[in-house]
Structures are given as structure tokens and as C-alpha cells.
Amino acid sequence: MIRVQRAAEPPDFDAKVRQRGKAALQELIGSAEAPRRRGRPRAKLADKVEEIPSDALPPFWTQALPELRAAYRDICAYLGMYIDPATGLATVDHFKPKSNHRALAYEWSNFRLASHQINTNKGDHEDVLDPFEIQDGWFVIDLGTFKVEPADGLDDDLRAAVIATRDRLGLNSPTFCASRTRYHDLYLGLKTEPDDPDEPLPLAWIRRHCPFMAHELERQGRLRPADRESTR
């Protein structure tokens, strides 16, 4: 994981997601202040917003997925890796889980772009560090095993938080490690498959598709000589 720069809220988000979500919450608690709308009214399910069953929340957040993908260039906030629009499944992750924070279910500030597997692993747990708040260098890649490890020199509490995040998200699953290996090898021109390109892929391509790997190659002095010169 590397720090993710928070993207500005899209201009139409309030009307498309937030206001519709707030109205639904009001309907679901039977509030007289719920705005009228076309269609069948939602039945009252609870007396308070925080008591609404989370599976009853209308998924208006999915309306923001195209803008979320565009804002973060299809990079999973937790993997630092490209989610291929053709084969990958990108999801809206509620950093503060909607099961425990109903009022944040329709807030752009609570959304993170995540691959489906990462979102599934995270679930409703709240022991994961926020990619908007972490510092570059807390998580590092072992370029021998391609596993994610806590950086040297972290204090005990931060080291424990990094490990808890890594393990909760399954960042060292064989699939993710294999993907990091692949990006590393393509950049260094290590042909491991018959149809691999004859020339190493540019650093810009690795930065676009796996910024976490690009960051670690640079930090660990593993850039190709021409790229080392250009980044000085």
C-alpha cells in the first residue's frame, strides 16, 4: 500500500447519490420529513437510522462507481494495482462499513475503490489502515518473495497496525504476489512466458498499472540505469 491522494467529489454526486440515500434513510425510519417521490414508499424498518438493517440500504453508491474508477484511474486503493476494466471487478468499498455507520453509506469521503476480492476480505472489519492516511514507506515489498511487509523502524503500535491491515486484506495471497512478480519481471525484461515482450516495459507503464511496485523499485534502487538518471 502507498498513500492515495483523495479525489474531489464529483459535481453530480450530491444529487445522484447523497440526497437519494438520505431520503431513503428517512423513509426507512418512517420519518415525516422524508421527501415524497414516485413509486411505492419504502416500509419503515427501524426507529433510528443506526438500527436499519444494512442489507436494506438501497445501493445508490454503485451509481458513483464510474466516477470512482475514473478519479482513481482504476487503481485499487489497497493493492496499489490496476483493476482491469475488462476482466477485473471494481467495487465501492465503504471504509467505515455501512453495517456500523449507516449515515456514511452515501458519502463520497467514505468511498475507496477496491477490487472485489479485497473488499470481500475487508468485509465489515475496522482494523484496516486508511489508504488516504497512511504514509509511503509503511508497507514495503520484499523483492525476493514479493510479499508485503512492514517497514523497518516502525514503532510497535504502527508495525502491528500494518501487519493487521496486510493480513486482514490478504495482501500476501498467492494471486497478489504473483501479480507483483509479473509487474517486476516485465519492467526488468525477465522473459518468463513465451509471449512476453522482447524489451522491458517502460517505467511509466509500471507506474500506471502497479504504482506500489514502481514506488518500491525506485525506493530500493532497482530501477534500470536510464530510469535512475531520469528520476534524479
Side-chain angles (χ1 to χ4, degrees):
M1 290 174 66
I2 53 177
R3 185 165 184 164
V4 177
Q5 183 67 38
R6 188 189 303 266
E9 181 179 305
D12 62 349
F13 179 84
D14 185 65
K16 189 165 66 173
V17 179
R18 181 183 292 113
Q19 294 306 322
R20 294 175 70 195
K22 284 185 174 182
L25 295 177
Q26 291 300 306
E27 279 191 87
L28 291 169
I29 62 172
S31 172
E33 298 179 1
R36 293 185 179 182
R37 62 178 180 85
R38 294 181 179 179
R40 186 176 180 179
R42 295 183 177 87
K44 178 180 176 179
L45 297 180
D47 292 322
K48 300 178 180 179
V49 167
E50 57 267 26
E51 295 173 352
I52 299 171
S54 60
D55 60 2
L57 299 176
F60 296 133
W61 51 82
T62 61
Q63 298 297 310
L65 186 55
E67 289 86 355
L68 201 67
R69 295 187 74 149
Y72 296 107
R73 303 181 68 201
D74 284 310
I75 299 294
C76 174
Y78 300 96
L79 283 172
M81 194 179 298
Y82 186 65
I83 307 170
D84 192 305
T87 58
L89 183 57
T91 64
V92 178
D93 166 60
H94 292 79
F95 181 70
K96 293 290 187 182
K98 58 185 180 293
S99 58
N100 299 325
H101 305 271
R102 311 294 197 283
L104 296 177
Y106 306 103
E107 291 296 330
W108 176 263
S109 62
N110 193 42
F111 295 173
R112 311 290 182 269
L113 183 66
S115 73
H116 179 266
Q117 187 59 59
I118 287 291
N119 206 347
T120 299
N121 293 348
K122 180 172 174 283
D124 294 337
H125 299 285
E126 298 192 48
D127 56 352
V128 170
L129 291 171
D130 188 351
F132 289 171
E133 301 296 335
I134 66 171
Q135 298 297 314
D136 290 344
W138 288 3
F139 295 78
V140 301
I141 300 174
D142 182 323
L143 294 182
T145 64
F146 297 96
K147 291 183 176 181
V148 175
E149 304 291 353
D152 293 336
L154 300 180
D155 64 43
D156 291 345
D157 289 344
L158 183 52
R159 178 181 176 81
V162 167
I163 291 173
T165 297
R166 178 198 66 188
D167 294 349
R168 174 68 66 199
L169 298 177
L171 297 181
N172 284 343
S173 74
T175 298
F176 296 150
C177 289
S179 293
R180 294 186 199 104
T181 303
R182 181 75 174 144
Y183 284 119
H184 171 273
D185 291 352
L186 287 171
Y187 171 71
L188 292 179
L190 304 176
K191 290 177 69 70
T192 57
E193 297 183 12
D195 59 349
D196 280 350
D198 293 328
E199 298 295 329
L201 291 182
L203 178 59
W205 190 91
I206 301 298
R207 283 178 170 158
R208 172 68 184 89
H209 289 82
C210 192
F212 188 15
M213 176 56 71
H215 178 273
E216 285 299 286
L217 286 165
E218 182 173 1
R219 186 186 66 82
Q220 298 187 41
R222 298 287 291 274
L223 294 181
R224 299 194 303 266
D227 290 328
R228 287 201 298 269
E229 290 297 325
S230 67
T231 57
R232 287 179 180 175

